[in-house]
Amino acid sequence: MNTPLGRPADATRRTPAEPPAIREPRHVPLAHVVRAGVIEGVHHGTAVVLAADGRVEFQAGDIEVAFYPRSALKPLQAVALLRAGLPLDGELLSLAAASHSGEERHLAGARRILDQAGLTEDELRNVPDLPYGAAQRDAWLRDGGEPTRLAQNCSGKHAAMLLTARLRGWSLENYLDPAHPLQRLIAETVEDLTGQRIAQVTVDGCGAPLFSVSPHGLARALARIASAAMDTPEGRVASALRAYPEMVSGTDRDVARLMRAVPGLIAKDGFEGVQVAALPDGRAVAVKIADGADRARMPVTAAALAHCGIDPAVLAGFATSPVHGGGTTVGSLRATDALALTPPAA
């Protein structure tokens, strides 16, 4: 049961802990770029793995530092919208938590959400952009397309925010203002799910408020979503992501492929090298690559997921990426021994 603003009725019984510390992160080497046996590059970062009971099963780096989850925050935002009465499920709810590629089904889905609100693309306040997917962007440009708000990868989330505001009778023009009732509810939901107060508020690339939590808190939040009962807002978000992983990302995107490869897993990526994933029993991982390099995100995530007991053979396709030279493969990018299940002998 929810209160008038959309808060869970038992929210007063969950007092968030103090916000994470804002400091220089104490990251550690998590991935090596190896070319012909020589370590050519090193990606530092932080990774945390939670057991089903919420204990920290494994950690590397600074899991309690304040950081910005970027789009990995979207499943939490979707939970908040459902708590406020958003009437979406299935593929459209998955799209509400998406960083989509700009495929036709994504654009059509965002239009359907806007139609339910009686609104058009003109009411969106996200920044105009080209489609995020490389193939979709190339085709868009060949056809003479310009950046639009609908094509931008966060349009599903923004359409869902508008629909929620319209149904609650809240103002539409300023729905991205941190003081707006919708954004206040999202902030409260982020604190509820992560179990900690927000350290800092800024603006994400799409124009929406962005909240700083810790990698540990982010993993804890996705664990709660993944393990929630099906009839709760958290459980509805998890069900949508599992059933429609291509709507939350795109065809052949690594996040969608990972969810298809590991039954029951939910996952979400974010700019600046962020990845979070969780299983139905509450096991979860969160990864932050310090330099924001997307190429290191999935190999490190695969190594972290191995600590959750997932068969390494299932993760093999995500655990490395090739390094090329002269048109041939001459090396690979892979997680460091700091993430190995069995550390090598000294």
Side-chain angles (χ1 to χ4, degrees), residues 75-93:
L76 286 66
Q77 293 169 315
V79 169
L81 299 182
L82 291 180
R83 288 181 177 182
L86 178 69
L88 297 180
D89 282 293
E91 61 179 348
L92 294 186
L93 179 54

Side-chain angles (χ1 to χ4, degrees), residues 329-344:
T329 299
V330 296
S332 66
L333 187 154
R334 56 180 181 262
T336 66
D337 289 340
L339 284 144
L341 283 173
T342 304

Side-chain angles (χ1 to χ4, degrees), residues 98-122:
S99 300
H100 64 72
S101 292
E103 299 170 23
E104 180 51 40
R105 60 179 161 182
H106 300 136
L107 307 185
R111 291 189 194 98
R112 287 167 58 192
I113 297 172
L114 289 170
D115 286 345
Q116 290 190 40
L119 302 171
T120 69
E121 181 180 355
D122 292 339

Side-chain angles (χ1 to χ4, degrees), residues 142-290:
R142 282 196 305 270
D143 292 339
E146 299 286 340
T148 71
R149 298 185 192 277
L150 199 69
Q152 198 265 343
N153 74 88
C154 302
S155 63
K157 177 184 78 173
H158 282 256
M161 286 180 173
L162 280 170
L163 175 57
T164 304
R166 168 57 63 88
L167 293 175
R168 294 304 298 262
W170 294 332
S171 60
L172 303 181
E173 296 78 10
N174 64 334
Y175 75 93
L176 296 181
D177 188 329
H180 191 281
L182 180 68
Q183 300 302 334
R184 288 194 290 113
L185 174 58
I186 291 174
E188 291 172 9
T189 301
V190 169
E191 293 187 334
D192 174 45
L193 293 175
T194 62
Q196 61 188 175
R197 302 219 176 270
I198 293 165
Q200 187 65 274
V201 181
T202 185
V203 181
D204 209 341
C206 66
L210 176 62
F211 309 109
S212 180
V213 295
S214 70
H216 187 185
L218 182 65
R220 188 163 47 228
L222 209 72
R224 286 188 57 185
I225 293 171
S227 62
M230 302 289 284
D231 60 349
T232 63
E234 295 90 333
R236 288 168 61 190
V237 170
S239 295
L241 298 185
R242 290 182 183 120
Y244 298 95
E246 289 82 9
M247 288 299 283
V248 79
S249 54
T251 303
D252 294 331
R253 291 263 296 279
D254 57 17
V255 172
R257 289 190 289 106
L258 182 64
M259 284 193 274
R260 290 293 188 200
V262 183
L265 184 80
I266 63 172
K268 185 70 188 73
D269 55 341
F271 281 167
E272 295 300 322
V274 180
Q275 181 69 56
V276 65
L279 291 157
D281 63 0
R283 289 173 290 165
V285 308
V287 168
K288 164 62 181 175
I289 305 301

